[in-house]
Amino acid sequence: MKMRTFARKFPKPIVVGALVALLISMSAGEALAYFNLPAVGISPGQTAVSLTVGQTVTVSVGVSPASEEQLPGCGMAECPQTCGVECLDARGWCQCAGMTYSTYYAQVSAASSNSSVAQARYGSGTLTLTGVSPGTANVTLTALLEKHQPGNAVVSVTVNAAPGNSNSGSNSGSSAGAGS
C-alpha cells in the first residue's frame, strides 16, 4: 500500500530521473578519474630586471619537479575509471595498464607582454632577455608537466635607452645569431 501512495505522489519519470542523478553522483565521487596534481613550481632567480636597449641578460630558472616517472592515470583511455583504489601502486600511480613507467619532463615557455620592448627565450634552465626599445614588459614563464597543473611566474622587465648615441647598444656577452 505504501508503494502505491509513493507512486501516486511522484510520477514515474521523476522517480527514474532522480535515481539516475543519484547513481551518477555516487559513481563520480568514487571514480579516480584524471590525476590533477599540484602546479609545477617555477622560480626565476630574479623577478625584476633592468637593462638597456640592445643588452642581453640571462636569469636562471628553477623548475620543480623538472621530471617525473609516471604510470598512466586512472580515467585515461589506457586506464579505465572502473579500476578503483586497489589499482594504485605504492607511489599512488594507477597501474591498470601495467607497471611500465614513463619519464615526463617539464616544458617551459617564455612570453613577453610587449616584444617590441623586450624579447624573451627560455632554454636549459635559463631565461634570456633582450632589450629592444625603452619601456616595460612582463615576461610570463609557464611550466607544464604531464598530469600537473601549469605553473607560472612573472619577471618584470624595464628597458632603458642606451646611454650616448642611439647606436651604442652593445650585446655584452651574447653570441651572434641569437635570434628573436
Side-chain angles (χ1 to χ4, degrees):
M1 286 290 229
K2 289 183 182 182
M3 188 59 154
R4 287 183 188 161
T5 304
F6 179 79
R8 272 187 250 143
K9 287 184 179 179
F10 300 100
K12 195 172 191 176
I14 292 175
V15 172
V16 170
L19 287 173
V20 168
L22 178 64
L23 289 173
I24 288 172
S25 67
M26 285 175 51
S27 64
E30 294 171 7
L32 293 175
Y34 296 103
F35 278 95
N36 192 14
L37 298 175
V40 179
I42 184 164
S43 50
Q46 296 173 263
T47 57
V49 174
S50 183
L51 63 155
T52 58
V53 172
Q55 183 181 11
T56 297
V57 172
T58 59
V59 176
S60 63
V61 178
V63 178
S64 179
S67 66
E68 189 171 67
E69 286 189 334
Q70 301 176 0
L71 291 174
C74 292
M76 304 293 191
E78 58 272 13
C79 195
Q81 291 181 2
T82 58
C83 180
V85 176
E86 59 277 351
C87 77
L88 301 179
D89 71 359
R91 294 194 225 171
W93 292 107
C94 182
Q95 55 190 352
C96 297
M99 291 297 294
T100 304
Y101 280 84
S102 294
T103 302
Y104 296 93
Y105 297 91
Q107 302 296 313
V108 179
S109 62
S112 175
S113 65
N114 190 345
S115 59
S116 65
V117 170
Q119 294 180 346
R121 282 181 292 130
Y122 175 86
S124 302
T126 302
L127 172 65
T128 303
L129 302 167
T130 302
V132 178
S133 66
T136 59
N138 286 325
V139 172
T140 302
L141 294 162
T142 303
L144 303 172
L145 180 60
E146 185 79 12
K147 298 180 184 78
H148 284 264
Q149 293 295 311
N152 293 301
V154 175
V155 176
S156 300
V157 180
T158 302
V159 179
N160 300 301
N165 65 36
S166 62
N167 226 2
S168 67
S170 70
N171 247 354
S172 60
S174 69
S175 61
S180 56

